[in-house]
Amino acid sequence: MTKSLRARRRATLLGSCLLLGLTAVQVHAAGAPSLIPLPARYQADGGKDFVLKDAARVGGNDEASRRVAAQFVELLRQNGGPTLAVAENASKAQIRFRLDPSATNPAEAYTLKVSNTGIDVSASDDRGLFYGAVTAAQLLTDQTPGEVAAATITDAPRFVWRGLMLDSARHFQSMDEIRKLLDAMAQHKLNTFHWHLTDDQGWRMEIKRYPKLTEVGSCRVPLGDAGRDPATGEPRRYCGYYTQAQIREIVAYAAERHIQVIPEIDVPGHATAAIAAYPELGVTGRKLAIDNQWGVFPNLFNTEESTLQFLENVLLEVIDMFPARYVHVGGDEAVKDQWIASPRVQEHMRRLGLKDEMEMQSHMIKRLEKFLEQHDRRLIGWDEILEGGLPPEATVMSWRGTEGGLKAASEGHDVIMSPVTHMYMDYLQTSSPDEPPGRPTTIELRKAYGFEPVPAELAADKRQHILGLQANMFTEHTRNDRNLEHNLFPRLAAVAETGWSPPDKRDFDGFLQRLPRQLQRYRAMGIHYAQTPFQVDMHDQGDRSAGTATVTLDNPLGYAVHYALDGSAVSAASPRYVQPLQVRLPAEVRAAAFFDGKPLAAASRFAITAGSLLTRDDTRLGLCPGDGKLLLRLEDDGPADGERAVFNVNIFSPCWLWQDADLAGVSAVKVRAGRIPYNFQLAHDEPSRRFAPARTAHGELEILADCKGTPLVSVPLPSAPGADGFVELRAPLHAAPPRADLCIRFTGDTRPALWTLDWIQLETTH
Ligand code: ACM
């Protein structure tokens, strides 16, 4: 069903009132430039500035340096600077690159000197020289574009692994989008692109020996409008894979930018697409379809020799396409139920003398590790590969926290830290209603920035095993490039700084000072970075009888907020917000966050009325007590293209909490509900899924005071929403207490659909 996007109400409210002091990010006196990541050492030289002239030329002392010079021209252009020409003769150039193999710099290091005659970049390898070019391009697109203060920068990264993982299996990205992300990674001095190419929902890499992996495994029929041809009503498939030629093209494109590409083939779980293509790889022998569910699937590869040979044959082609030293073999979230239930797997384990399924998984991983080693490659796996014993040379990617990484490093294994608590980019970055679908547990920019990859508990002689850190972008809920870029930026800048800059130099306030320049570069690059951290959030607390409200404004990053109450446009000359505002209803508040006199994002407009004080939308409601919690921000399944309605919902229990609702004088309740697909495999979390029992054919909307007892409201639900995808339900409210915690829930097991709350409005008689 096509569902129109509901009008999002910005005038929402939250009972709590956040008091904000005068802590806004202040513009520091002009000094160090806006470089991200911060260089290891920046020294102002006190001489005359370099001023870029239109006729300026770029040059290099040899062929390799001239290649970097040409890359610099492109980096500067991408950042919004002018397009300069490369000089034939380096001595005629003002921006000069010099490879000096005799210099004893660490890997990736460079030196950059700015004087009134130009910018000189030197390094002992082309990686370092390239990073010097990145820095030079940022210097020339700073506060006063084209003007750079005399200075010397001596720079080298803290970690060798500065990564981004992209899931191209759940949703598929075009070659152009991958190239755009690689460009952005290079601009952040990130050097590892971990490409998640296989999963339950799709196999996205051509393997010539097994053509069905992509013929069958790269397509699924998505839910809703996108899964049906509007003309014929026939199923319409969502397909995508990268040919080997395309993969080689991406690998080469990345290599030019000094980014290694690490492929991931997920084993033994997340294997549904492969098993759908070749059912003999599975445990049950059943033919599987690639369905359109998310979550943790039960399907595992079987443990037969023929399956291991299949995996090795796949790896042979993978190794041929990906020159990087590492190959990732997954290992995550492989629930072992199918292996436990399979007499063949159990018999296999007995034959091998393995005591449990963890050891069976470990046996498979060790076999693959040996194979990779024979082909001069090293194995990486998610931290589950620690269970049942780790192959000696394996590198661990710690995602379930940092504990797995700590254990592995303590045992002498190399580790990459990418904990779900700080490094998962599908976790949303603010609690704004304008966030895209994802996981509403927020990983704010500050939190991402604050992540320290080396655990304090790790012994000093084991610290070198922490190779670095990685941001992971899983894409179940990220259907398009715009949302992908929203989730990645600017948080990737924070990840980059942690990966590159010396720990004692990291400073979030300084980072916020430098960030606005980076946003300008993002705009020049056409990157749709998140606006939400730069917008203003509003909370209000009303006094209905007095006809007034107390309004709290907040920028999530602490940038200065200015506001207008008179309907005029907000500017830096508008009053600065310093403390909650008292307004008379109805009121209109416009507000924006500013840095250095310029707005950081479009102004927000909030209408505060008697009605808005009595209204809450899903983003401003909590979770009902006593339920299991898996809060997601989910989108509707239509329209096929374009924007869709999104809802915050606990998929374990569709119930929303309005804490301490003021019910005085309230005589009726109105609720707008939407309906979205309920498409989750929960594996061992299944028992946490709870539905209150339905009393009528299609279940009810129920509202309970203090979340218990007889419902205050119980309204039967229709079999389906209206043509716009929503239904509005209204019911009188009798015998309600003057204040209560309201639990608003939908009863019944409505799978494969799920009713979701859009908003609730209390109605008074006057
Ligand atoms: C993971 O998030 N399953 C690595």
Side-chain angles (χ1 to χ4, degrees), residues 51-114:
V51 180
L52 186 74
K53 305 264 174 29
D54 283 351
R57 292 285 178 274
V58 187
N61 68 321
D62 59 12
E63 198 181 319
S65 307
R66 276 193 289 277
R67 257 202 311 276
V68 179
Q71 288 185 298
F72 164 78
V73 169
E74 178 58 12
L75 290 165
L76 182 61
R77 190 198 61 75
Q78 283 176 354
N79 277 336
T83 302
L84 303 180
V86 178
E88 285 298 315
N89 182 343
S91 65
K92 298 255 164 60
Q94 288 71 50
I95 298 150
R96 299 170 287 258
F97 292 90
R98 182 181 164 74
L99 258 188
D100 181 5
S102 67
T104 51
N105 286 336
E108 304 183 291
Y110 68 93
T111 304
L112 185 153
K113 190 159 177 50
V114 185

Side-chain angles (χ1 to χ4, degrees), residues 479-511:
R479 194 170 42 91
N480 58 41
D481 297 342
R482 182 173 279 270
N483 290 350
L484 178 67
E485 292 170 20
H486 174 111
N487 282 351
L488 290 177
F489 303 99
R491 285 185 295 190
L492 215 48
V495 175
E497 187 141 310
T498 303
W500 184 279
S501 307
D504 60 339
K505 288 261 166 71
R506 275 165 56 209
D507 156 29
F508 189 61
D509 186 49
F511 178 76

Side-chain angles (χ1 to χ4, degrees), residues 332-333 382 399 424 474:
D332 58 322
E333 298 181 315
W382 299 110
W399 76 274
Y424 269 47
F474 284 105

Side-chain angles (χ1 to χ4, degrees), residues 312-363:
E312 290 177 350
N313 290 335
V314 167
L315 288 177
L316 272 183
E317 293 192 32
V318 166
I319 288 165
D320 198 44
M321 281 182 274
F322 294 90
R325 186 154 171 246
Y326 295 90
V327 175
H328 201 302
V329 297
D332 58 322
E333 298 181 315
V335 288
K336 305 296 189 301
D337 301 7
Q338 289 190 345
W339 282 1
I340 291 168
S342 161
R344 279 180 82 119
V345 174
Q346 292 301 311
E347 167 55 25
H348 193 184
M349 284 166 49
R350 261 192 303 280
R351 252 189 297 126
L352 294 168
L354 302 173
K355 79 171 189 312
D356 59 22
E357 293 71 26
M358 303 299 181
E359 287 195 359
M360 184 71 240
Q361 171 162 333
S362 170
H363 176 81

Side-chain angles (χ1 to χ4, degrees), residues 165 264 266 270 332-333 382 384 399 420 424 472 474:
M165 187 220 76
E264 181 185 349
D266 213 334
H270 291 285
D332 58 322
E333 298 181 315
W382 299 110
E384 285 94 332
W399 76 274
V420 66
Y424 269 47
N472 290 338
F474 284 105

Side-chain angles (χ1 to χ4, degrees), residues 123-137:
S124 60
D125 68 6
D126 55 353
R127 286 186 293 168
L129 206 59
F130 178 78
Y131 292 132
V134 170
T135 299

